Amino acid sequence: MGTRTVVVSAVAVTVVAGVGLGLWASGDDGGPAGASLWPAERGSAAAAPSRAASPTPTPTRSYALSEAPRTIPGVRSHTAARGPGWRPARGRRVVVNDAELADEGRLIAGELGLTYAGEKTDVRAGDVRLALNDDEGANPESYALTVRGGRVNISGPADSGVFYGTRTLKQEVHAGRRAPEGVVRDQPAKPVRGFMLDIARKHFTAAWIEDRIRELGDLKFNQLGLHFSDDQGFRIASDTHPEIVSRQHLTKAEVRKIVDLAASRHIAVVPEIDSPGHLGAVIAAHPDLQLRNAQGVATRGAIDISKDESASIVDDLLEEYAELFPGGQWHLGGDEYQALTVSNPQASYPQLAAAATKAYGSGGTVADLTTGWLNDRADTMRAQGRTMRVWNDGFFRGTSVQPAKDLQVAYWTGKEIGARQPVEYLSAGRKLINYNDEFLYYVLGQPQTFVYPTGQRIYEQWTPRVVRGTQAVPAKYDGQILGGTFAVWCDLSNSQTQDQVAAGIRMPLRATVQKLWVPGKPTLSWTQFKTLANGLG
């Protein structure tokens, strides 16, 4: 019998992918790399000429040139090549070059049914090798994924980048497909790719949150916001103030498990205790701290910031939960303090006016006092080593007291009293995270003017520079926009079940991360993108 061989071409083409809908060769790859004949892609067979001296010609075929992998978010670039590609098979190994990658190695090995072999220097057919490189100064979330000779190599300057490479590989081989031959070089356009969940107004089980973390990790999100204190509930157990905790809540053991799972997916948990507004659950247990106007009427959700005890209880909670959430990010809230929504705050709340003049002199205002409150809470969390963000309506115009320079703007609305355009914050040098309520707010029950956002609208109309409404800020500010966060708010908490929420946000999450990872107009139509998402599960 004549021998059968495979000729692998060295031809390579670089494709800037975004999201690719390529198809690649399929077939059995059970033997050593390059040892079996691979069915050529339609139209790509190239028979080699027979050797004159041989009585039995030896047929040869080349592989089709690979196409960009099909993933969400799409990869930034793919250098095509000819070759068999790779797919998982029993007995194949995941090996690492550094013990720091053990968690990433074990995870992808378990997901693909491979054997995690630890640190190894030998090379075997079918290996997946994870490696840290010495590319100093590179984006730590960047990676290169090389499929060549029946093996896979994923490398990056940090474990986060390597992890994202494994997410690409996992999607590439979904549903029995092969990872295409060639090299993926990839990194996110934006460093903040977030999902925020309001667990204060609606209790979500720990298991549901853990499922979302796994989903977020596979989509290369890197932040999970937990808004766990509001007027309707306080949803995490407290040792310093157990009296404020709602009946349905997460235990600290559950939260630690959530934080650990998120860390394993390179997701930072961003906690939020909103103040000085939205503290109704705290006030319910401490009614003496509720803000009242000159007529003695209670102001919903607002704590009286003229009282030292108000600062003490909030700082107690901030310091307690700083230990539970060890990440570097923190959300201070700061929005919708009802004392500032009246026409004359000084007259309506004389105790706040008196505290303001005592602290800041005769010109001190309630807005100054509120800004000072925010700065004091920032001092509390800065001592814990946190980077802090504040809702944009927590920044007030025309105050003598200015918000701390290191506070990032969580821009969600242009509807607040004295609303300011995003450019006003950006031109002042602020860094901004896009929570645009026109596109990124999923508000249960669709109260007021809110409607459930669709993945199609995000995919076709939103970009990180579309911060307010539908208009983009000038391109010169792009570097100050750190990224975006898709948010679920539970204003009418019984409007949807947990499962309905998960289904409702599925495509919006995928569209959001696509726009945060790959800049520019998507290469796929919405119909193609949705088909891809459905195929990936």
Side-chain angles (χ1 to χ4, degrees):
M1 293 179 63
T3 59
R4 304 172 75 190
T5 62
V6 175
V7 176
V8 181
S9 171
V11 175
V13 177
T14 298
V15 179
V16 177
V19 177
L21 275 177
L23 298 175
W24 43 87
S26 61
D28 184 24
D29 192 26
S36 59
L37 178 65
W38 199 269
E41 289 288 321
R42 179 167 48 199
S44 65
S50 301
R51 296 178 181 176
S54 173
T56 49
T58 302
T60 62
R61 295 177 181 175
S62 65
Y63 296 103
L65 195 64
S66 64
E67 298 201 25
R70 300 180 289 177
T71 63
I72 295 175
V75 300
R76 300 287 294 274
S77 74
H78 175 251
T79 301
R82 300 183 189 276
W86 180 93
R87 73 178 177 191
R90 187 177 299 277
R92 289 185 166 178
R93 305 185 306 173
V94 175
V95 298
V96 301
N97 80 336
D98 193 297
E100 290 186 22
L101 297 174
D103 290 343
E104 289 74 20
R106 290 190 181 96
L107 178 61
I108 191 65
E111 290 170 329
L112 301 187
L114 308 176
T115 299
Y116 177 67
E119 292 184 75
K120 301 290 182 182
T121 57
D122 63 313
V123 176
R124 294 185 187 177
D127 275 355
V128 175
R129 179 172 292 278
L130 309 184
L132 294 175
N133 60 38
D134 56 359
D135 192 1
E136 294 184 8
N139 184 333
E141 294 188 308
S142 66
Y143 68 91
L145 187 159
T146 302
V147 179
R148 182 178 297 133
R151 291 184 293 274
V152 177
N153 186 79
I154 300 172
S155 64
D159 54 355
S160 56
V162 174
F163 170 74
Y164 296 134
T166 67
R167 300 307 88 192
T168 296
L169 179 65
K170 181 182 177 182
Q171 289 194 30
E172 285 179 332
V173 301
H174 179 77
R177 294 193 300 268
R178 291 178 177 269
E181 200 84 3
V183 182
V184 167
R185 298 190 186 279
D186 202 13
Q187 66 178 29
K190 292 296 181 181
V192 173
R193 304 176 302 281
F195 169 62
M196 195 228 75
L197 182 64
D198 172 12
I199 65 173
R201 295 179 175 92
K202 181 181 181 69
H203 174 66
F204 289 84
T205 65
W208 189 92
I209 296 171
E210 289 168 6
D211 285 344
R212 299 289 74 69
I213 289 171
R214 296 183 185 96
E215 179 182 13
L216 295 170
D218 282 352
L219 292 171
K220 304 188 178 89
F221 280 88
N222 64 358
Q223 290 189 2
L224 168 64
L226 290 180
H227 176 93
F228 65 92
S229 169
D230 212 302
D231 297 340
Q232 295 82 351
F234 193 99
R235 302 289 183 180
I236 297 178
S238 173
D239 298 319
T240 61
H241 292 282
E243 73 280 0
I244 70 174
V245 179
S246 302
R247 181 182 61 82
Q248 285 188 307
H249 65 272
L250 298 174
T251 67
K252 285 195 171 181
E254 288 174 323
V255 172
R256 290 189 182 97
K257 187 179 177 185
I258 287 168
V259 170
D260 288 346
L261 179 63
S264 75
R265 266 62 175 181
H266 295 273
I267 295 171
V269 180
V270 185
E272 181 191 358
I273 299 176
D274 200 348
S275 79
H278 293 282
L279 281 172
V282 173
I283 293 167
H286 297 272
D288 56 310
L289 299 182
Q290 184 156 29
L291 179 65
R292 295 180 180 274
N293 67 14
Q295 288 73 44
V297 178
T299 302
R300 185 174 181 269
I303 203 165
D304 189 337
I305 60 176
S306 70
K307 296 183 176 182
D308 292 340
E309 296 86 350
S310 295
S312 295
I313 193 170
V314 172
D315 283 346
D316 285 348
L317 295 169
L318 291 173
E319 290 170 350
E320 176 181 0
Y321 292 105
E323 181 179 353
L324 186 62
F325 296 99
Q329 303 291 319
W330 198 275
H331 202 317
L332 291 171
D335 65 314
E336 297 180 328
Y337 189 48
Q338 295 301 308
L340 293 170
T341 64
V342 298
S343 59
N344 189 338
Q346 280 69 233
S348 295
Y349 299 97
Q351 75 276 36
L352 299 185
T357 56
K358 180 180 179 181
Y360 305 113
S362 59
T365 65
V366 175
D368 286 323
L369 190 70
T370 308
T371 303
W373 166 279
L374 194 67
N375 286 342
D376 289 344
R377 307 294 75 75
D379 289 343
T380 298
M381 297 315 297
R382 195 178 294 107
Q384 300 288 337
R386 305 308 161 96
T387 299
M388 295 153 292
R389 66 190 67 168
V390 175
W391 297 118
N392 62 287
D393 51 332
F395 293 81
F396 308 111
R397 180 191 279 123
T399 55
S400 60
V401 180
Q402 295 297 306
K405 296 293 186 183
D406 60 346
L407 298 180
Q408 297 173 353
V409 180
Y411 197 103
W412 70 281
T413 187
K415 305 179 180 75
E416 79 276 15
I417 294 175
R420 284 180 281 173
Q421 293 287 340
V423 167
E424 187 168 332
Y425 303 93
L426 294 167
S427 62
R430 297 273 181 190
K431 294 180 179 178
L432 184 149
I433 300 167
N434 188 332
Y435 289 75
N436 187 339
D437 64 348
E438 180 79 18
F439 291 93
L440 306 180
Y441 261 36
Y442 191 96
V443 185
L444 296 198
Q446 303 182 108
Q448 301 175 47
T449 59
F450 290 107
V451 295
Y452 292 129
T454 66
Q456 181 173 1
R457 188 159 183 258
I458 295 168
Y459 189 78
E460 294 178 344
Q461 300 180 32
W462 180 80
T463 74
R465 284 173 44 214
V466 178
V467 179
R468 171 180 173 172
T470 59
Q471 298 300 310
V473 301
K476 67 180 180 179
Y477 295 118
D478 185 67
Q480 289 172 242
I481 299 172
L482 301 178
T485 296
F486 186 88
V488 170
W489 293 101
C490 303
D491 291 41
L492 300 176
S493 60
N494 293 324
S495 300
Q496 290 191 342
T497 65
Q498 289 187 142
D499 290 343
Q500 287 172 325
V501 173
I505 65 176
R506 182 178 174 276
M507 287 307 299
L509 284 176
R510 283 152 178 77
T512 299
V513 81
Q514 172 66 26
K515 304 301 283 290
L516 291 168
W517 190 276
V518 182
K521 185 178 180 180
T523 59
L524 299 185
S525 69
W526 169 250
T527 299
Q528 291 172 319
F529 184 83
K530 187 175 181 180
T531 299
L532 173 59
N534 291 337
L536 291 172

